[in-house]
Amino acid sequence: MNELFTVPVLLGILYSGVRLATPYLYAALGEMFAQRSGVVNLGVDGIMLMGAFAAFFVVSNTGNLLLGVLAAMLVGLLMGLIMSFVSVNLQAEQGISGIGLYLFGLGLSSLLFKKLSVSTRAIEGFPALPIPVLSDLPEIGDVFFKHNILVYIAFALVPVAAFVLNHTTLGLKVRAAGMKPEAADSLGVSVARVRYLCVTFGSMMAGLAGASLSIGLINLFQENMTSGLGFIAVALVYFGGWTPLGVMIGALLFSMVNALQLWVQVKAIPIPSDLAVMLPYILTIAALVLGRRARQPAALSKPFSRGEN
Amino acid sequence: MKLNRIGAGALLAVGLLLAACGTPTPAPAAPAATAKPAAKQVKVAVVMPSASNDGAFSQSMYDALKAVQASMGGEAAMKIAVSEGMVQVPNAVAAIRDYAQQGYDLVIAHGTQYGNSLTEIAKDFPNTAFAWGTATDTFAAAGVKNVFAYNPRAQEGGYVLGVLAAKMSKSGVIGVCGPVEAGDAKTYVDGFKKGVMDTKKDAKINVTYTGSFSDVSLMAAAAETHTKAGADILTGSSQSVVGAIGVAKDKKAIWFGTQANQTSLAPDTVGASQVYDWTGVIKEMLDLSAKGTKGGKAFELSLQSGGLKIVYNDKVSIPADAKAAADAAIKGIIDGTIKPLP
Amino acid sequence: MTLLPTGRARIDELRMVGITKRFPGVLANDGVDFDVRAGEIHALLGENGAGKSTLMRQLYGLYKPDAGEIRLNGAARRFNSPSDAIHAGIGMIHQHFMLVPALTVAENVALGLASSRGPLLDLDRVSKRIEELGERYHLKVQPDAQVWQLSVGEQQRVEILKALYRGAALLALDEPTAVLTPQEVGEFFKVLRRMAEDGHALIFISHKLHEVIDISHRVTVMRDGKVVATHPTAGSTRERLAGEMVGRPILLEYDKPPVPAAAANEVPRLEVEDLHVRGDRGRDALRGVSLSIRSGEILGIAGVSGNGQRELAEALTGLRRVTRGRVRVNGRDLTHATPQQRIAAGQSAIPEERMKDGVVRDFSVSENLILQDHGHAPYSRAGFLNTRAITRDCAALVKDYSVKTPALETPTKNLSGGNIQKLILARELARKPTLLICAQPTRGVDIGASEYIHQRLLEQRQRGMATLLISEDLDELMALSDRIAVMYEGRLMAVLDRADATPAKLGLLMAGVAA
């Protein structure tokens, strides 16, 4: 056991934690906005797959990484519009629609991957971008300041999201729409517009999360490559109590426990691999059970209408 | 007010439809009627758990079928139907039964998990030949006569690649990215480990399993952990290794692949791959079937039979002594002097 | 153009002409004419479902009229959304507050408004303005307090501040006093008068007759989607307004003979000693309640909701565990008895939440009528229901208590509130109970049905039944009770004889001020 708690291992866990947390962070921050406005979007995983595919497809054909990111976000935007339309205009049951969107993304990304005969060759993804000075810090520099740009942006989005939510007129509308849409409506706030905006933004973030996998972390596309990562992101929103900081802590914790279990295996700690693999999920369930539910947006997953007709 | 139900239902339906046609390929596009069958057209169907371009398990079978088809004279002589991405066993079973009903000559259930249901289907279609892999049991004991089994001795190639890895590692640390501790993934890893240890006693092999055949990002994290722990050579099994290969490329480590030739995924990174070549097995099964033997035989891919091949990548230079040691290992395994499993 | 003290233009006259609004199967507004002028408080009176709220929702842009016109200062206007109405200077205080509980007062006020700092919130400036407005209109609240921490009265102030902040020159108030204590109502009326004096136009929607008489200059009465009368309030009596609302003469005060003097050895029907029970959150909801009710007596329990009334009713009906104290019915100790045992001892109950605790929504009328008695003769034998007896008795009950239902098999949820309450009353009184625990018997029930229910309760009183009447409607308590007890924070502040109980006195006690 002592082998596990050495400085290099702990730094390794931190490093992997930060890298692995990136896709979760994008997806969960976006989902947090959707949920704060009152819409649960369970389609995150499907949007991530489409985003991952779009980014990989564009980059492997053009070699332009920025274009790849934009493609992923565009795909996210389109799928976000679908989810918005179904949940806001048609007032559909959000859980079912979200699963529908997930299957849609899963199926379409697999289909396109095969039909477009995309190369299965690794692309040159985003290179590591050491931050001057900071990256030279002993130990810490490597862990926190030698990542690719998508990693930095994800973490930079956390304070930005918190600021938007708490200190802007838009953020106030978002919070009100998720807690008491009829109050927002009575003050002339268009709940539909706010929800459209949040769901679509959240989906663009999910698309970006997919890109951060396919052209940031792995540099390849594979059918169903997220394997449920988007659902974990949804759980992290609950875990994080619907705050950006909480979501970030959740994402880091989850990915660090994942990194830890890999180290447990590398260091040949005598725990069955099946058990080690379960660790992060046990943690998630425990956190959800023990977590406070007080801050859940009161109108979460409830369609809003004025009751006319 | 019914709109809400219709909306959710519609999205779900579209999703299901796409999921259904996105994963398994729809029935073959080229109708057999356009090509005039020279003699009798042989019809082969395969049901597999991942995509035909997964760079691993499913692709190895798909490529082999294509190769056999080409050698037999193309579409006209042999028709291939593929159902891929059949993660859900009940769906796979339904597909297998469908193909049997449609009169396919050989129906391949390419996944260990499909075995249980196969016995019953086989009994219902005694004139159809079935194949099941990776497996060693033809259900002969249960009175079934029309099931072939096929199994790769993944440990053999694993051993050879282990020898290569031990010879080539400078740090003396080697990382193994396993998916689930079962089947050919496990035998491959065990063979690989023995290959390393027999070559270099003080080498350090770190093994991780992610618990999933498909979790690409966790596989990437596993590879990253191995490189952090000092590994300069990585290997792994299953379709999820694409994540690990990406990391190996990033960290300038050398990767050894298995199941399919993984060179194309990262041409500067993959040192060598153990390739499952099912062409011989498929041909033999078709021959037997044509002669009336619809099953009962268990095939094994091995270095000796040529079903397992070690394919090198010219772009990655392999030291001469390493290559020599690998050749010696192949020879030793074929003549029985080397036991690849502990 | 005349300006209001808030700096916005006055609305000299709002006129709604021939407003018609149809919902599937219902004509909610049928050619309604209504007007209000600057400086006027115009009451809009009517039973539930008379069309008041629908009319106001059209004024506020929430619904679009099928026909008719809204004219502001003589010009026709069309409001497609609340923001159109807000722009035109119309504000609305909804019956259910439109506040976001988890946000602060300032955030609730700022919601949906442009900020002086562009996309960034400027809550300091909003807070300052809230304080200025609060000063002028006696609407003091802490701008940085979170709304859920505020009392109901304070929340209402926030609602009015929201409208004033947006420059509302006309304010429609939908049942604004329903949730207030009499003291708070007094304060609230001062605010309304102040606003009217400043030149605001106010629409006051209510079904409380004395409040309408107290506060309004003019009154418009609606019934079944139509306006039945519009006249100055001065000179109107409660009886006249009630008659206009219901369409027939209505009795608001009842003659009842006094309770006969107690015989020497008389046992009280209900005796409660030092009762303690815990509330839903584990804290003591009742902290030593003692009372007794004699045969033929109605004891009213007044109090602002949430002071232990619900828990008292639940403890006395066996739905909540008593932690300390004793309850005796007709001399028998029933402190920990089950509901079944209480029924057997001659006790009946009318629960506060009639849809939740009073009936099974999806059961038919007759099933609900025999809910407690289905287990024994004549309604069942050896586990089989006796349909003929059930139909016979239920038909008689439905007739006796004039429950309006298409059939005995109709699902209960399809009945109106008043008819469901009559159904419960029929079931509970048919047993000829000696004690009735009765909570909010006429809440949400129209005046006609209320009068009927009251008459029935008084009839049973004559018969000798003792009644514990828990109500938030002071008029009801004053009309029915022989004595009135006031509950505050789980204790009885005082028990007054009806003759001594004035609204003012009760109001003080309800606020926790000992007389």
Side-chain angles (χ1 to χ4, degrees), chain B residues 58-320:
Chain B
S58 293
Q59 184 162 1
S60 69
M61 176 55 75
Y62 185 74
D63 289 350
L65 283 168
K66 281 294 187 194
V68 172
Q69 185 186 46
S71 74
M72 285 175 69
E75 191 79 43
M78 177 176 161
K79 176 178 168 183
I80 305 174
V82 182
S83 288
E84 50 194 324
M86 289 290 190
V87 180
Q88 304 289 332
V89 174
N91 293 346
V93 170
I96 292 168
R97 187 175 279 279
D98 262 6
Y99 285 127
Q101 221 142 29
Q102 287 171 30
Y104 278 78
D105 302 287
L106 175 64
V107 181
I108 306 174
H110 192 53
T112 314
Q113 62 268 44
Y114 304 149
N116 282 343
S117 322
L118 198 60
T119 41
E120 315 225 327
I121 302 176
K123 280 180 187 161
D124 291 346
F125 300 94
N127 295 320
T128 306
F130 293 89
W132 177 42
T134 58
T136 49
D137 185 5
T138 63
F139 305 117
V144 177
K145 294 197 176 73
N146 54 336
V147 174
F148 295 112
Y150 55 89
N151 188 47
R153 289 192 198 155
Q155 65 271 23
E156 294 189 357
Y159 187 94
V160 177
L161 295 178
V163 170
L164 276 170
K167 284 280 180 198
M168 287 170 71
S169 173
K170 295 188 179 73
S171 67
V173 183
I174 292 158
V176 180
C177 307
V180 177
E181 211 169 342
D184 65 330
K186 181 172 164 37
T187 52
Y188 171 75
V189 171
D190 290 347
F192 185 89
K193 269 157 78 177
K194 186 149 193 287
V196 174
M197 295 319 284
D198 286 357
T199 313
K200 196 171 182 181
K201 289 233 160 19
D202 59 345
K204 189 151 177 38
I205 310 177
N206 297 322
V207 183
T208 56
Y209 285 99
T210 61
S212 160
F213 288 111
S214 59
D215 194 333
V216 180
S217 57
L218 193 57
M219 197 52 109
E224 218 165 74
T225 306
H226 286 306
T227 57
K228 282 266 161 190
D232 58 351
I233 308 250
L234 296 175
T235 187
S237 173
S238 93
Q239 58 269 29
S240 64
V241 293
V242 293
I245 295 173
V247 171
K249 178 174 141 85
D250 243 25
K251 305 282 174 192
K252 311 262 183 289
I254 290 175
W255 175 266
F256 289 110
T258 181
Q259 295 181 330
N261 185 352
Q262 291 170 341
T263 302
S264 68
L265 293 170
D268 305 319
T269 304
V270 178
S273 305
Q274 160 173 245
V275 177
Y276 294 175
D277 182 357
W278 305 103
T279 45
V281 174
I282 295 167
K283 275 186 183 152
E284 201 172 339
M285 287 192 292
L286 286 175
D287 279 351
L288 286 172
S289 164
K291 287 175 194 142
T293 310
K294 302 289 182 186
K297 185 165 179 198
F299 297 93
E300 288 231 300
L301 289 190
S302 63
L303 290 171
Q304 185 176 23
S305 72
L308 294 180
K309 287 193 186 94
I310 303 297
V311 180
Y312 292 96
N313 174 14
D314 302 337
K315 287 220 181 131
V316 176
S317 66
I318 310 271

Side-chain angles (χ1 to χ4, degrees), chain A residues 8 18 32 68 190 199 309:
Chain A
V18 168
M32 186 205 68
S190 167
V199 172
N309 303 322

Side-chain angles (χ1 to χ4, degrees), chain A residues 182-240:
Chain A
E182 56 275 24
D185 181 57
S186 78
L187 293 178
V189 173
S190 167
V191 175
R193 202 177 305 165
V194 169
R195 289 188 170 177
Y196 251 89
L197 189 71
C198 287
V199 172
T200 309
F201 170 77
S203 303
M204 281 168 69
M205 286 295 105
L208 191 52
S212 78
L213 266 184
S214 70
I215 63 175
L217 194 63
I218 290 161
N219 302 334
L220 268 168
F221 183 81
Q222 166 102 72
E223 191 181 345
N224 190 19
M225 72 186 289
T226 54
S227 63
L229 199 151
F231 289 97
I232 298 288
V234 175
L236 286 176
V237 176
Y238 283 73
F239 180 101

